[in-house]
Amino acid sequence: MALHFTWVFGFGLLGNIISCLVCLAPLPTFYQICKKKTSQGFQSIPYVIALFSAMLWLFYASFSENAMLLITINSFAFFMEIGYIAVYLFYATKKDKILTFKLLLLFNIFGFGLICALSLLLTEGTKRVHVLGWICMVFALCVFVAPLGVVRKVIRTKSVEFMPFALSFFLTLSAVMWFFYGYLKKDKFVAIPNILGFIFGILQMVLYLIYRNPKKNEVAEPKTQELSEQYCSDINIAMPKLNEGGNEVFEAHSAKDQTKEAMDVTNKV
C-alpha cells in the first residue's frame, strides 16, 4: 500500500514539474511578441481553453479526495494562462482582441459559471465528483485538440514557425506522467484524456521534424523566373528602323525580342 502511494505521488510530482515546464514553454514565443510588438498571427484559443481547463480541474479537485497535486499544478497554470492572455491582448489586432474577449466570455465566464451553478444545485457527494470529472475530461481533450489548428497551418504552409518544438515535447512527457498518475490512482478522468494527449504530442513532433527545414530557395526561384518573364513580356520598346524610302519608322519590340536580336548581333561580330 505504501509502495503504491509512493508511485502515485512520484508520477504526480513528475507531472507537476513537467506541466510547469509546459506552462513555461510559450515564454520565448511571448518574448518575441513583446519584442516585435505584434501577435504575429498566433491564436489565443489554446490559452483560453487551457485557462478554462485549469479552472475546471481546480473545481473538480476541490471536491475530490487526495487531489492536492492537481490543485498545485492547475493553480500555477491558472496564473500563467492569465498572464499569456493579457500579453496577447495588449499586442493583438483589434479583430483578434474582439475574438479573444468573446472566447473569454463564452468559456471562462458564462460557461464556467453555468457549470458551477448546475453542479452545486443539482448534484452532491460522489455524483458531483463524477459529473465534474466527465466535464473536466472533455475539456482536457479540448486542450490537446486545440493545437490542431496550428497543425493544419504547419501542413499548409510547410513551416513550423507557429508550432514550438519545446511545447510539443513537454506536452508529450506531461501526458505520460499524468496517465500513470491517473491509472495508479484509479482516476479515469485524469488517465483517459492523456492517452490522446500523448498521440497528439507525437504527431506534432513528427511534423516538426518533417517541416523544420523548408526548401525556400526551390520555391522562390520559379516564382522569380516567372515574374521576370511576365515583366519582360509586358515591356515594349520602340526601335528605329529604315523603310524602303530611307525614312526612320518606329517598330515595337518586346524586351525578349530585343535581347534575342542583341545576342544575334554579338554572335555575328
Side-chain angles (χ1 to χ4, degrees):
M1 184 69 180
L3 181 62
H4 181 268
F5 175 79
T6 302
W7 279 107
V8 172
F9 180 80
F11 279 111
L13 183 61
L14 287 174
N16 268 257
I17 295 172
I18 297 172
S19 294
C20 285
L21 295 176
V22 170
C23 292
L24 296 174
L27 281 178
T29 299
F30 281 89
Y31 172 76
Q32 292 297 324
I33 290 176
C34 294
K35 186 177 180 180
K36 297 181 180 180
K37 298 181 179 180
T38 175
S39 59
Q40 301 174 314
F42 288 95
Q43 299 177 350
S44 63
I45 188 169
Y47 307 101
V48 173
I49 296 295
L51 176 62
F52 187 31
S53 177
M55 294 167 67
L56 286 176
W57 281 112
L58 283 171
F59 194 54
Y60 165 78
S62 64
F63 295 102
S64 182
E65 296 180 357
N66 300 321
M68 182 57 64
L69 291 173
L70 286 177
I71 293 175
T72 54
I73 183 55
N74 284 287
S75 297
F76 180 78
F78 175 81
F79 290 107
M80 289 301 298
E81 299 303 332
I82 286 179
Y84 292 144
I85 292 172
V87 173
Y88 181 88
L89 287 172
F90 188 79
Y91 291 108
T93 61
K94 183 178 179 180
K95 181 180 179 181
D96 290 334
K97 287 180 180 179
I98 294 174
L99 177 60
T100 303
F101 278 120
K102 287 181 179 179
L103 291 172
L104 288 171
L105 287 172
L106 176 63
F107 289 102
N108 304 90
I109 296 178
F110 178 75
F112 182 72
L114 183 63
I115 290 171
C116 289
L118 292 178
S119 61
L120 291 174
L121 293 174
L122 302 179
T123 61
E124 59 181 15
T126 305
K127 185 178 180 181
R128 179 182 295 167
V129 174
H130 280 81
V131 170
L132 291 174
W134 278 104
I135 295 173
C136 287
M137 185 171 67
V138 170
F139 282 97
L141 294 174
C142 291
V143 172
F144 293 118
V145 172
L148 284 181
V150 179
V151 169
R152 185 180 64 178
K153 191 170 187 178
V154 168
I155 296 174
R156 188 176 70 250
T157 62
K158 301 187 187 320
S159 172
V160 294
E161 180 183 0
F162 301 109
M163 190 181 70
F165 179 80
L167 182 59
S168 302
F169 176 73
F170 286 119
L171 274 173
T172 306
L173 283 181
S174 175
V176 172
M177 297 303 151
W178 285 113
F179 167 76
F180 282 109
Y181 170 82
Y183 175 76
L184 294 172
K185 194 173 179 288
K186 297 181 180 180
D187 190 339
K188 62 182 179 182
F189 304 119
V190 175
I192 292 176
N194 284 287
I195 297 174
L196 188 62
F198 174 77
I199 295 172
F200 281 142
I202 294 295
L203 172 63
Q204 291 180 54
M205 288 193 291
V206 169
L207 287 175
Y208 186 90
L209 293 175
I210 294 174
Y211 296 117
R212 61 177 177 173
N213 294 319
K215 299 178 181 180
K216 296 181 179 179
N217 293 334
E218 293 183 4
V219 176
E221 288 178 8
K223 288 185 177 180
T224 305
Q225 183 180 359
E226 181 182 352
L227 286 173
S228 62
E229 289 179 0
Q230 182 179 358
Y231 177 75
C232 291
S233 64
D234 291 339
I235 297 178
N236 289 327
I237 302 175
M239 297 181 60
K241 189 176 182 181
L242 295 177
N243 61 9
E244 295 180 355
N247 298 322
E248 287 185 349
V249 296
F250 287 88
E251 183 177 347
H253 291 268
S254 68
K256 285 184 179 179
D257 295 334
Q258 184 188 16
T259 304
K260 185 176 180 181
E261 290 176 9
M263 291 178 64
D264 292 338
V265 172
T266 303
N267 292 334
K268 288 180 181 180
V269 174

